[in-house]
Amino acid sequence: FIGEEAFHGCLSLASVTIPDSVTSIGDYAFSECSSLTSITIPDSVTSIGKGAFSRCLSLASITIPDSVTSIGDYAFDGCTNLINVNIPQGITSLEQQVFCNCSSLTNIIIPDSVISIGEHAFSYCSSLTSVTIGNGVISIASNAFVDCSSLEKFNGKFASEDGRCLIIDGVLNFFAPAGLTEYTIPDGITSIVRAFSGCSSLTSITIPEGVTEIGLSSFIGCSKLTSVTISNSVTSIGGQAFYGCSGLASITIPESVTSIGFHAFRYCRSLAEVYCKSS
């Protein structure tokens, strides 16, 4: 066992080989070891504690053996040079912020053993281009992929045909924005929640028939959004849905809409015209 904060803040520590006698790595055991570039974890290890390698700024690659069945919150949070990491087959849950702020991480494959993906698990991974969701995943926190601006494609479970969306039980939860300025939401979706939050390059969006709800924070911070087409099936526009869409000059709201939530169009500083369309 490597205890809690055992090597925390050892700023000159560059390389670590953990012996086969170790079965667990404690909370924050190597956190803020900013010179650490290499670490070997043996097959004897079954758990990696909370924040164990958080803010290891020089760590570029790590191999986690399949013997590991538990990785704690924040375990690799802030490992800004981490390019490659494997998620072992025995893991059932990716805890909150486990790979948050890993700004060099380029792709991730989530194995079939994983059931849940926690809050901000991959948020602010600004170089992440692809994510493969395993067949065992049941739940994904609504903010798991916040500000992944380079994301081009989702693969595997819940992925839309074009790979741009993750759709769970008819709800569009996540969107891969890289390289797109215009987008038509695919058919078969009933509601949108947070999916387009912070898509700073998006200029035009078409919401098709079948969507009934534009939910909480759906397009918050889409500062270049100038064109929004809302279908007649939409009945509600949720709180902060278009908050901070500063480029939006006009919008047509269909007669089918019966409720508009709090701050829905707040700080839409260019909004000069709102049309209410009859069916």
Side-chain angles (χ1 to χ4, degrees):
F1 174 73
I2 296 176
E4 181 177 338
E5 298 189 24
F7 297 94
H8 172 83
C10 291
L11 302 183
S12 298
L13 186 64
S15 178
V16 174
T17 299
I18 297 173
D20 291 340
S21 57
V22 172
T23 58
S24 63
I25 299 171
D27 293 350
Y28 303 101
F30 296 94
S31 63
E32 298 188 30
C33 291
S34 56
S35 297
L36 186 64
T37 60
S38 172
I39 187 158
T40 301
I41 300 175
D43 290 339
S44 57
V45 172
T46 59
S47 66
I48 296 173
K50 180 168 65 176
F53 298 95
S54 59
R55 296 188 60 77
C56 288
L57 303 181
S58 300
L59 191 64
S61 180
I62 188 167
T63 300
I64 305 171
D66 284 339
S67 58
V68 172
T69 58
S70 172
I71 301 176
D73 298 347
Y74 321 106
F76 297 92
D77 186 4
C79 292
T80 54
N81 273 313
L82 188 64
I83 299 171
N84 298 305
V85 69
N86 66 299
I87 298 173
Q89 293 289 334
I91 294 292
T92 58
S93 177
L94 291 174
E95 306 298 344
Q96 66 173 335
Q97 293 186 224
V98 62
F99 294 104
C100 186
N101 293 301
C102 291
S103 55
S104 296
L105 193 64
T106 57
N107 67 82
I108 199 79
I109 297 174
I110 297 168
D112 292 343
S113 60
V114 172
I115 296 170
S116 63
I117 301 173
E119 293 189 2
H120 291 296
F122 298 96
S123 289
Y124 313 110
C125 292
S126 55
S127 297
L128 192 64
T129 60
S130 71
V131 174
T132 300
I133 305 291
N135 290 327
V137 173
I138 296 171
S139 66
I140 304 175
S142 62
N143 54 14
F145 298 98
V146 170
D147 279 3
C148 293
S149 56
S150 297
L151 195 55
E152 298 173 357
K153 193 172 186 180
F154 291 106
N155 302 291
K157 192 174 183 181
F158 304 127
S160 60
E161 187 174 345
D162 65 359
R164 289 289 180 169
C165 304
L166 282 186
I167 305 163
I168 304 173
D169 296 328
V171 180
L172 201 171
N173 288 272
F174 306 100
F175 177 67
L180 289 181
T181 57
E182 301 179 358
Y183 191 69
T184 298
I185 292 171
D187 294 333
I189 291 168
T190 56
S191 63
I192 307 163
V193 179
R194 297 183 190 271
F196 298 90
S197 171
C199 292
S200 58
S201 298
L202 195 66
T203 61
S204 174
I205 191 79
T206 299
I207 300 169
E209 291 291 334
V211 175
T212 59
E213 178 189 18
I214 301 172
L216 179 69
S217 303
S218 289
F219 297 95
I220 189 170
C222 293
S223 57
K224 294 183 181 178
L225 190 63
T226 58
S227 174
V228 178
T229 301
I230 302 175
S231 70
N232 290 320
S233 60
V234 173
T235 59
S236 67
I237 298 174
Q240 298 181 325
F242 295 94
Y243 185 109
C245 293
S246 54
L248 193 62
S250 68
I251 193 165
T252 298
I253 299 174
E255 190 178 34
S256 57
V257 173
T258 58
S259 68
I260 297 176
F262 67 97
H263 301 314
F265 294 94
R266 188 172 185 178
Y267 295 124
C268 291
R269 300 188 187 279
S270 300
L271 191 61
E273 298 174 313
V274 177
Y275 299 98
C276 292
K277 181 177 67 176
S278 298
S279 56

